[in-house]
Amino acid sequence: MRRPMRTWVYLFGINALVVCVGFLLLIAVSLSVLEHAIELQTLRNLRTFSHSVRELITARPPRAAAGETLDSFIKLLASHDPYFRITLIAADGTVLGESDTNRLNLENHFTRPEVKAALLGQEGYDFRRSSIDGRMVVYYAVPLTLSDSYAALRLSMPLASNVLFSTNLRQQSVIAAILILCVILTLSFAAAQRISKPLAELRNAAFRYRTGEFTYRPKIESPYEFAELAADLNRMALTIQDNIEDISYRRDYFESVFAHTAEALIVFTRGLQILEVNRAACRLFDTGARKADRSLISLVRSTEIIDFVQAHIADPAEEHGAELEITIQGADGAEHHLLARCSAITPENERRHFLLMLTDVTRLTQLEQIRKDFVANVSHELKTPVTSIKGFIETLLDGALSDEETARRFLTITDEQTARLSNIIDDLLSLSQLEQRGAAIRTQRVSVRAVFAQIMRLCLPEAQAKQTELSLSFLSARGAPLDGDIELYLNEGLFIQAAANIIGNAVKYCPSGARVDIGVQQTPPHGIMLRVEDNGPGIPAEYRTRIFERFFRVDKGRSRETGGTGLGLSIVRHIAELHGGSVQALARRDGSAGACFELYIPGNRMEPDAR
Ligand code: ADP
């Protein structure tokens, strides 16, 4: 391919060509005009001289006595100027006198135009090359009367004899012209450079903008149009920079939103080729590669999802996308209940893109199930005592009232069932209040010994009734008996409720004459661990976590017998969590039969307002 010409070469070349041609033309025209003027001037001079010489010859003819002939006289007249030639021609064309050469060697001059005119009585002239030396010569002839016969007096002069026609002058003119041309071309070169330099700077700026360097500012002060162009380029770069920053910000913003959205998002083509996958989708399907250049089929591995997506691609009727609820086995091995939504995110064409959004509703489904179970459990728990109360009241109304002993027995049972109902409702209210508090409880600094004095007062009557021995001990962090007190932050009322529940359970589920060890141990930095161990039936290992669920009982009949609601440990767990602590059921540490509960309270100051 032909390499394009550089601007300065182009400008300089055209300039040089135009200047050279113009200059040469100017010189040619000037020289031609000058030559013409010189010819005219020479002609005028020759005319004047011709007249003067004619006057001279007529006034003072050659003296034959002194040996003068016309030829020698003419040679004498022209002897002072080597360029000047005088020729005298007779009427028949014979040369009578000649200043420059031997007249006898000259041919007949009758045919010469100027001579012809002079012999006819007129003045004539001619420009032609000399027959003697070939130079360009101006001839001028006037008529002359010689001894009654007509003759022609001709003066001639070579044009080169004029000072303006000398070789020297021409040489000097050419040298001067070349010098002037050189100066003009140098100036033209400088001018071309002045134009091409800002152009190069503009090109440099454009190159930098192309490579993303929008902070570059071309500095051009002249020529005006280039300076304006540079200023416009600056403004354009600023606008582009602003736009790019804006677009980058938006892109990062949307990428961040896309990446951090909890829903699994997958963007794919009509051919199910994945374009974008967010973190949630990678977690769900366990793929390390975020920008997966793979197909949707290999990522989701669920025919249900693929069928759903393909149906939507084939018939994207719903404007806001189609929905499907499915259950899949996630990468973590667990079952995930998903709500899948598929929608087109670009206009209808061959390159249409789609978005598959998978919302994990597993937890919601579980919560919904818990809520349903809870309602069923509550209904069931309430129904038993209510049915029992109703039954006894009906029996009483049907006549049992008259039998005082039966009536008393029935009323006692009704009273117990009412107490049970009341317990369930109290515990439900308690739970509901704890749940409503959320994480907001107020703690105060308390003496642990004083708090346990209260707890023991609460639990002792029942323990004594069952001849259960309660032993309370305070231990240091290292497990040694502690003489002093422990002070920590807790919500006194809630803690007493939790501790009394655990100790009460131990008393409740152990047979008479059992022993319950209550240990309160310091746990650095501020907390305590309440450990309650009994030697009762204990809790089978598989139920040790489930007993903290609402209404869960290991032995339903036994629990009801003892007036249990199945909500006590659930309340304990809530209280522990509200304090930032925990509760767990374990086997006894010494391996013997019986239950062991550990309630840990960190003892930090907690202000609901500070949270
Ligand atoms: P309940 O009102 O039935 O006592 P809880 O939530 O307090 O309800 O206890 C849940 C279940 O845990 C009880 O029904 C009982 O089966 C079991 N449980 C709790 N504490 C003990 C214990 N110390 N020994 C044996 N079983 C216990």
Side-chain angles (χ1 to χ4, degrees):
M1 210 178 84
R2 232 184 81 203
R3 215 170 147 216
M5 203 184 275
R6 289 185 175 272
T7 309
W8 77 266
V9 177
Y10 188 73
L11 286 174
F12 177 65
I14 289 192
N15 252 3
L17 194 71
V18 168
V19 167
C20 284
V21 169
F23 204 73
L24 289 176
L25 273 177
L26 183 72
I27 288 178
V29 170
S30 306
L31 281 177
S32 142
V33 169
L34 198 64
E35 259 181 37
H36 188 65
I38 289 165
E39 281 168 9
L40 279 179
Q41 188 57 50
T42 311
L43 207 60
R44 261 189 221 134
N45 290 347
L46 281 180
R47 186 171 166 268
T48 312
F49 294 151
S50 311
H51 283 268
S52 301
V53 171
R54 187 173 63 182
E55 288 304 316
L56 202 65
I57 293 173
T58 318
R60 188 195 165 279
R63 288 176 298 231
E68 272 183 355
T69 62
L70 272 171
D71 187 50
S72 66
F73 186 60
I74 281 168
K75 280 192 170 63
L76 179 72
L77 285 176
S79 62
H80 298 291
D81 191 337
Y83 297 114
F84 222 52
R85 182 180 164 203
I86 305 171
T87 313
L88 188 65
I89 301 125
D92 61 352
T94 326
V95 177
L96 297 173
E98 163 61 44
S99 62
D100 281 14
T101 183
N102 187 351
R103 70 181 180 90
L104 297 174
N105 294 338
L106 294 173
E107 59 187 17
N108 189 297
H109 274 37
F110 189 75
T111 52
R112 306 288 199 271
E114 74 281 1
V115 174
K116 226 177 192 173
L119 291 175
L120 288 172
Q122 288 161 358
E123 294 185 6
Y125 68 90
D126 193 21
F127 292 87
R128 64 171 182 277
R129 297 207 172 270
S130 158
S131 58
I132 299 170
D133 54 17
R135 289 190 296 182
M136 200 59 183
V137 178
V138 187
Y139 297 93
Y140 198 89
V142 290
L144 172 75
T145 313
L146 273 179
S147 356
D148 299 334
S149 68
Y150 250 168
L153 175 67
R154 189 185 73 174
L155 268 70
S156 65
M157 209 179 181
L159 272 177
S161 65
N162 192 297
V163 69
L164 288 169
F165 276 89
S166 72
T167 339
N168 209 8
L169 181 81
R170 284 190 175 222
Q171 266 178 7
Q172 282 172 2
S173 304
V174 170
I175 291 169
I178 290 172
L179 285 177
I180 292 170
L181 207 62
C182 285
V183 171
I184 290 175
L185 289 182
T186 310
L187 290 176
S188 159
F189 179 75
Q193 287 285 316
R194 245 180 103 78
I195 290 175
S196 69
K197 260 196 186 154
L199 265 179
E201 174 64 356
L202 287 172
R203 189 177 161 225
N204 177 33
F207 172 77
R208 284 167 186 254
Y209 296 156
R210 185 158 57 91
T211 53
E213 196 189 327
F214 288 100
T215 46
Y216 185 75
R217 302 278 170 263
K219 285 179 205 71
I220 300 171
E221 279 155 16
S222 70
Y224 174 76
E225 286 79 2
F226 286 110
E228 281 296 291
L229 187 60
D232 279 345
L233 216 58
N234 276 349
R235 283 190 281 271
M236 190 184 79
L238 267 177
T239 314
I240 293 176
Q241 193 177 3
D242 282 354
N243 287 346
I244 287 179
E245 275 171 16
D246 189 41
I247 291 168
S248 303
Y249 172 78
R250 279 163 187 267
R251 188 201 54 205
D252 292 349
Y253 180 82
F254 284 113
E255 269 185 6
S256 177
V257 170
F258 184 81
H260 292 97
T261 302
E263 272 83 13
L265 301 175
I266 305 165
V267 179
F268 58 94
T269 63
R270 194 182 276 280
L272 302 188
Q273 200 63 30
I274 292 177
L275 299 173
E276 292 287 344
V277 193
N278 77 342
R279 287 182 198 166
C282 290
R283 265 198 307 275
L284 185 64
F285 299 113
D286 190 29
T287 170
R290 282 203 56 217
K291 183 116 180 150
D293 45 356
R294 53 197 287 192
S295 80
L296 189 66
I297 301 169
S298 70
L299 179 76
V300 301
R301 295 187 297 269
S302 156
T303 45
E304 242 182 306
I305 296 180
I306 297 301
D307 289 349
F308 161 70
V309 163
Q310 277 177 332
H312 182 69
I313 293 174
D315 179 23
E318 290 109 275
E319 204 182 318
H320 302 293
E323 278 190 6
L324 170 79
E325 271 191 56
I326 44 161
T327 305
I328 62 156
Q329 179 103 16
D332 51 5
E335 276 203 337
H336 288 266
H337 299 282
L338 300 178
L339 176 65
R341 285 196 198 90
C342 183
S343 47
I345 53 170
T346 55
E348 170 75 80
N349 61 31
E350 266 311 297
R351 291 162 51 101
R352 198 169 203 195
H353 295 166
F354 295 84
L355 172 72
L356 175 64
M357 183 160 92
L358 300 165
T359 311
D360 196 336
V361 289
T362 313
R363 176 125 184 85
L364 278 178
T365 318
Q366 281 169 351
L367 286 175
E368 180 62 11
Q369 194 54 47
I370 289 170
R371 193 188 64 79
K372 282 181 189 160
D373 290 351
F374 181 67
V375 172
N377 282 333
V378 169
S379 316
H380 180 74
E381 291 294 331
L382 293 178
K383 192 171 169 50
T384 317
V386 168
T387 314
S388 157
I389 291 167
K390 192 167 178 280
F392 284 116
I393 290 175
E394 278 170 7
T395 316
L396 285 171
L397 289 174
D398 283 350
L401 256 180
S402 50
D403 179 353
E404 195 182 328
E405 198 186 327
T406 312
R408 182 172 291 279
R409 194 159 53 85
F410 281 6
L411 281 174
T412 309
I413 297 169
T414 308
D415 183 45
E416 280 169 13
Q417 293 301 328
T418 314
R420 190 166 136 68
L421 259 183
S422 168
N423 281 347
I424 293 173
I425 290 166
D426 282 352
D427 280 355
L428 280 173
L429 278 175
S430 229
L431 254 183
S432 147
Q433 275 167 4
L434 289 173
E435 275 172 351
Q436 268 169 18
R437 279 187 192 212
I441 56 159
R442 192 178 287 276
T443 55
Q444 76 236 39
R445 199 164 173 78
V446 296
S447 147
V448 172
R449 280 189 186 271
V451 168
F452 272 90
Q454 288 189 57
I455 294 168
M456 295 309 276
R457 270 200 297 280
L458 277 174
C459 296
L460 264 173
E462 208 176 324
Q464 279 165 354
K466 280 188 79 175
Q467 286 115 41
T468 301
E469 188 190 337
L470 295 185
S471 107
L472 174 64
S473 58
F474 292 93
L475 303 166
S476 71
R478 293 186 173 184
L482 189 79
D483 294 331
D485 197 1
I486 308 169
E487 286 201 339
L488 78 162
Y489 282 95
L490 46 73
N491 185 300
E492 195 175 351
L494 292 179
F495 180 75
I496 290 173
Q497 190 181 355
N501 219 316
I502 296 173
I503 298 166
N505 273 352
V507 173
K508 203 159 68 178
Y509 292 108
C510 285
S512 314
R515 179 189 162 86
V516 178
D517 290 317
I518 305 161
V520 182
Q521 187 173 2
Q522 272 183 321
T523 52
H526 318 289
I528 52 162
M529 171 76 83
L530 164 66
R531 189 174 290 111
V532 180
E533 287 181 301
D534 63 49
N535 54 1
I539 301 157
E542 67 267 29
Y543 298 133
R544 282 182 194 147
T545 49
R546 296 210 60 197
I547 52 170
F548 295 99
E549 289 173 15
R550 286 179 283 195
F551 296 115
F552 185 85
R553 300 173 178 98
V554 178
D555 179 350
K556 284 196 170 48
R558 172 110 186 81
S559 166
R560 289 212 183 93
E561 256 172 46
T562 55
T565 61
L567 294 168
L569 287 179
S570 186
I571 292 170
V572 172
R573 193 187 63 188
H574 264 86
I575 292 172
E577 284 171 359
L578 281 174
H579 280 86
S582 59
V583 62
Q584 55 180 338
L586 309 154
R588 278 181 65 111
R589 286 180 300 166
D590 60 7
S592 60
C596 172
F597 281 86
E598 282 185 353
L599 169 64
Y600 166 65
I601 300 289
N604 297 326
R605 187 192 184 99
M606 297 167 102
E607 292 297 335
D609 298 341
R611 283 163 169 267

